[in-house]
């Protein structure tokens, strides 16, 4: 993961909804229009409960590219879209 794209470094000013208007009606279309959405890697066929498996380098690179595209379009408040609650 690119450290600059880690949500733990965000401030309240970075994520305050009052400072970052968001049109939820257009988000799906907007996200599909971003470059990384055109080349989503295929998930390997491994059991979901396989705790030893890690995301592939291809998946990590794609997620970083999508994070960067979201930041460029919406702003830094979008960081963390791929993180679980309380992760990081």
């Amino acid at each position: 993961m690119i450290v600059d794209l880690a949500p733990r470094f965000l401030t309240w000013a970075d994520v305050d909804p009052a400072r970052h208007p968001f049109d939820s009606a257009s988000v799906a279309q907007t996200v599909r229009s971003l470059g990384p959405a055109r080349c989503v890697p295929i998930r390997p066929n491994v059991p979901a409960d396989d705790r030893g498996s890690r995301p592939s380098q291809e998946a990590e690179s794609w997620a970083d590219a999508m994070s960067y595209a979201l930041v460029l379009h919406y702003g830094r408040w979008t960081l963390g879209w791929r993180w679980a609650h309380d992760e990081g």
Side-chain angles (χ1 to χ4, degrees), residues 21-73:
F22 179 69
D23 177 17
S24 61
S26 67
V27 71
Q29 180 179 356
T30 299
V31 170
R32 281 192 297 269
S33 75
L34 299 175
R38 294 185 214 115
C39 56
V40 178
I42 296 171
R43 185 178 192 276
N45 189 15
V46 295
D49 62 348
D50 182 357
R51 296 187 186 273
S53 67
R54 290 198 23 85
S56 68
Q57 182 58 42
E58 180 184 17
E60 287 284 331
S61 295
W62 177 86
D64 285 344
M66 182 54 87
S67 293
Y68 187 69
L70 289 167
V71 167
L72 288 178
H73 187 82

